[in-house]
């Protein structure tokens, strides 16, 4: 059997995956808080861990893998959106879950085995909180229940921080009912206009962290194989999950392997609304950028490295996919992917290495093997093929040619313009130039692969 090795955040080592039960592989990934559209950074873990899901199914069998990704449908951000819009909370969360499914489907992500909603597991959370109080790890105060962090000496092991350092550097809520600034909320009171449930501590709602501990224990067991999520969740969310789960169950670990993907940048800068480079997956799809192209770009960088989203990578991804789809048109996939693809993915989900191997297969003209191998990464499947009917976006190349023309007019040297025009023509692009501007039109013999390097 293929040996899968993954970098375990908990141990800081690349480790062999040794399933608790090879007949039932269990994976949990933290899902979205459903109050708005998913932005591009939210999509990275979805695509990365979708590849993990595909790999596990390939190695162990489709029916042996349970992949759980939750929806957080009770949260202060959702409450604020309801207050802002005057809409019912349930209406907002239902709509947002629908948006999320549509957008992730467009990226070719398989639906997880189960997608639990936090509000369906309130009784499980209450029971876990009662257990933590009974065992002396949590306490009730002024309608709140808090986990007493100093009762768990290994707190901070996942993120590699000492408790005192965390107190000095963290933004923690200072409240009179806390015994220690780092104690975190398991349950909090709700007012009349906030969602709430009756509990031993009064009418209220759960804290954020308890939901994942309760749902993963119920659906996957007290200890399971892999817990995944973005690096931004490592502290405090995952640190708190570990503390409350291990104390509740008396286990040495919550999950055997912890996987964290790094953050996303846009053209070398952090994505933020203040910089004007913040966009959702839906924004990109509305711009005509195909979901398969977005997926390809997200897989070009190893998940443990920061990823830079650039226009150049978009052009490269589209050109590559057009070339590969042309090579595999009408070809049935081979019975199995190339060993080089499986080996790359089994080596800590090395998607960049797998893409390099796909280029080698394409150069050798092995169309059937290329299609089967690409499908391991969720590429070249029939479900994502519709975008080929749309015309490619050649506006960046038109803009580049326009700049070259302006420079040529000043220098009287048109060699660069003529060279680029020739390359475009060789790729099957009709070049129309006049005083008003430049128009590029793909012709009958258009070959996007020949645009590489222009």
């Amino acid at each position: 059997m293929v040996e899968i090795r993954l970098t375990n955040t908990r141990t800081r080592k690349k480790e062999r995956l040794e399933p608790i039960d090879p007949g039932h592989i269990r994976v949990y990934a933290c899902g979205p808080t459903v109050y708005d559209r998913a932005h591009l950074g939210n999509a990275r873990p979805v695509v990365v861990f979708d590849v993990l899901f595909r790999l596990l199914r390939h190695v162990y069998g489709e029916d042996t893998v349970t992949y759980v990704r939750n929806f957080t449908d009770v949260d202060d951000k959702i409450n604020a959106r309801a207050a802002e819009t005057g809409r019912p909370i349930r209406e907002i969360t239902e709509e947002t879950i629908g948006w999320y499914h549509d957008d992730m489907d467009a990226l070719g992500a398989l639906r997880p085995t189960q997608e639990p909603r936090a509000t369906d597991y309130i009784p499980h959370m209450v029971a876990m909180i009662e257990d933590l109080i009974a065992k002396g790890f949590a306490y009730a105060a002024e309608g709140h229940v808090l986990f007493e962090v100093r009762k768990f000496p290994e707190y901070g092991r996942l993120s590699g921080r000492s408790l005192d350092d965390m107190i000095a550097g963290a933004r923690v809520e200072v409240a009179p009912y806390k015994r220690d600034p780092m104690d975190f909320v398991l349950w909090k009171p709700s007012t009349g206009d906030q969602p709430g449930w009756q509990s031993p501590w009064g009418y209220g709602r759960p804290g954020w962290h308890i939901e994942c501990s309760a749902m993963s224990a119920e659906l996957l067991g007290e200890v399971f194989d892999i817990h995944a999520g973005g690096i931004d969740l490592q502290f405090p969310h995952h640190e708190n999950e570990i503390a409350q789960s291990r104390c509740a169950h008396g286990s040495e670990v919550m999950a055997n392997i912890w996987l964290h993907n790094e953050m996303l940048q846009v053209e070398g800068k952090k994505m933020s609304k203040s910089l004007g480079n913040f966009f959702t997956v839906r924004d990109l799809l509305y711009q005509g950028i195909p979901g398969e192209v977005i997926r390809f770009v997200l897989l070009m960088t190893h998940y443990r490295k920061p990823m830079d989203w650039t226009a150049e990578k978009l052009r490269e991804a589209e050109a590559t996919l057009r070339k590969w789809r042309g090579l595999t048109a009408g070809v049935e996939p081979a019975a199995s992917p190339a060993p080089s693809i499986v080996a790359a993915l089994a080596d800590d989900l090395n998607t960049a290495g797998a893409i390099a191997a796909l280029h080698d297969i394409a150069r050798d003209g092995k169309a059937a093997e290329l299609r089967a191998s690409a499908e391991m990464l969720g590429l070249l499947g029939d479900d994502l093929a519709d975008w080929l009917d749309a015309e490619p976006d050649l506006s960046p190349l038109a803009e580049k040619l326009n700049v070259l023309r302006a420079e040529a007019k000043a220098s009287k040297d048109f060699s660069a313009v003529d060279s680029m025009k020739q390359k475009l023509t060789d790729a099957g692009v009709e070049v129309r130039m006049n005083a008003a501007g430049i128009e590029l039109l793909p012709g009958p013999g258009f070959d996007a692969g020949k645009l590489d390097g222009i």
Side-chain angles (χ1 to χ4, degrees):
M1 181 174 286
V2 174
E3 178 180 287
I4 298 175
R5 297 180 64 82
L6 301 167
T7 298
N8 189 350
T9 308
R10 183 173 60 85
T11 61
R12 276 100 177 135
K13 296 177 182 178
K14 189 185 291 188
E15 299 177 0
R16 177 180 179 180
L17 173 63
E18 297 181 352
I20 298 168
D21 176 3
H24 185 198
I25 315 300
R26 290 166 287 164
V27 182
Y28 187 94
C30 291
T33 300
V34 285
Y35 69 100
D36 206 348
R37 289 279 187 183
H39 60 70
L40 186 60
N42 300 141
R44 190 181 192 194
V46 172
V47 171
V48 166
F49 301 129
D50 177 66
V51 173
L52 173 65
F53 188 29
R54 292 169 185 268
L55 174 66
L56 294 172
R57 284 158 54 105
H58 173 76
V59 173
Y60 291 97
E62 290 189 8
D63 296 334
T64 66
V65 184
T66 298
Y67 174 30
V68 177
R69 187 180 65 217
N70 72 296
F71 286 116
T72 296
D73 60 348
V74 52
D75 183 88
D76 288 345
K77 291 179 181 178
I78 302 172
N79 301 342
R81 183 57 53 90
E84 173 189 329
T85 61
R87 299 174 63 198
I89 287 174
R90 186 71 178 185
E91 182 179 300
I92 291 172
T93 58
E94 288 288 339
E95 178 182 61
T96 308
I97 288 172
W99 289 346
Y100 188 83
H101 278 147
D102 289 345
D103 293 345
M104 298 309 119
D105 289 351
L107 301 185
L110 301 173
R111 296 280 180 94
T113 317
Q114 296 191 60
E115 294 181 289
R117 303 185 187 194
T119 53
D120 291 337
Y121 288 80
I122 300 295
H124 304 81
M125 299 178 209
V126 169
M128 180 175 275
I129 294 169
E130 288 183 299
D131 188 37
L132 287 168
I133 293 175
K135 291 175 177 175
F137 294 108
Y139 58 94
E142 299 181 23
H144 295 75
V145 181
L146 297 109
F147 183 90
E148 193 164 0
V149 169
R150 291 192 184 273
K151 291 288 186 70
F152 182 59
E154 291 188 49
Y155 191 84
R157 180 178 173 184
L158 182 71
S159 54
R161 314 178 193 187
S162 74
L163 188 55
D164 291 335
D165 287 343
M166 285 187 278
I167 292 174
R171 295 178 180 177
V172 295
E173 180 188 3
V174 178
Y177 49 79
K178 284 188 175 186
R179 294 178 183 173
D180 187 286
M182 288 302 294
D183 292 350
F184 59 86
V185 172
L186 301 175
W187 189 266
K188 54 189 172 183
S190 295
T191 60
D193 60 343
Q194 294 173 323
W197 293 261
Q198 292 298 334
S199 79
W201 319 285
Y203 183 73
R205 60 197 191 279
W208 173 30
H209 315 294
I210 193 68
E211 65 177 71
C212 289
S213 287
M215 288 188 284
S216 63
E218 180 67 19
L219 298 173
L220 299 176
E222 295 178 358
V223 179
F224 49 95
D225 296 296
I226 300 171
H227 195 312
I231 194 66
D232 55 318
L233 299 179
Q234 182 187 44
F235 179 83
H237 184 50
H238 289 164
E239 200 77 75
N240 292 352
E241 278 189 58
I242 290 172
Q244 61 203 10
S245 292
R246 287 187 55 192
C247 290
H249 307 312
S251 57
E252 290 297 316
V253 296
M254 177 185 181
N256 284 337
I257 292 179
W258 286 80
L259 298 183
H260 289 95
N261 65 277
E262 264 292 350
M263 304 298 285
L264 178 140
Q265 298 177 323
V266 177
E267 301 289 352
K269 297 180 180 179
K270 180 180 178 180
M271 188 172 71
S272 71
K273 292 180 180 179
S274 62
L275 293 176
N277 64 354
F278 179 93
F279 40 83
T280 67
V281 173
R282 182 55 47 176
D283 291 335
L284 296 175
L285 296 171
Y286 278 156
Q287 291 171 23
I289 300 173
E292 186 176 35
V293 173
I294 298 170
R295 182 184 183 93
F296 192 103
V297 175
L298 292 173
L299 295 176
M300 290 169 71
T301 304
H302 192 280
Y303 78 95
R304 294 184 62 242
K305 296 180 179 179
M307 193 218 130
D308 194 15
W309 176 272
T310 67
E312 181 58 36
K313 286 179 180 176
L314 272 178
R315 288 192 288 272
E316 178 186 342
E318 180 173 347
T320 298
L321 287 170
R322 283 186 179 276
K323 185 190 302 182
W324 289 353
R325 282 200 172 273
L327 180 63
T328 58
V331 176
E332 288 295 315
S336 59
S340 59
I341 303 298
V342 178
L345 297 181
D347 182 15
D348 200 21
L349 299 181
N350 186 0
T351 55
I355 288 174
L358 289 176
H359 280 290
D360 292 338
I361 296 169
R363 276 192 291 271
D364 292 340
K366 300 177 180 178
E369 187 175 61
L370 174 63
R371 180 162 181 189
S373 300
E375 287 182 355
M376 276 288 293
L377 280 82
L379 302 169
L380 302 190
D382 293 335
D383 55 326
L384 296 182
D386 293 348
W387 67 274
L388 287 176
D389 298 332
E391 288 194 354
D393 179 15
L394 301 179
S395 57
L397 294 177
E399 182 179 345
K400 181 177 180 180
L401 184 57
N402 200 40
V403 170
L404 290 177
R405 182 171 69 164
E407 293 173 348
K409 286 180 179 179
S411 66
K412 308 302 181 185
D413 180 3
F414 286 83
S415 58
V417 174
D418 293 338
S419 174
M420 184 171 177
K421 284 175 60 180
Q422 186 59 55
K423 290 177 181 178
L424 289 167
T425 301
D426 291 344
V429 178
E430 179 185 351
V431 181
R432 297 181 182 178
M433 303 178 68
N434 53 48
I438 296 175
E439 187 177 10
L440 303 181
L441 303 172
F446 174 70
D447 182 354
K450 292 183 178 180
L451 296 177
D452 289 351
I454 297 182

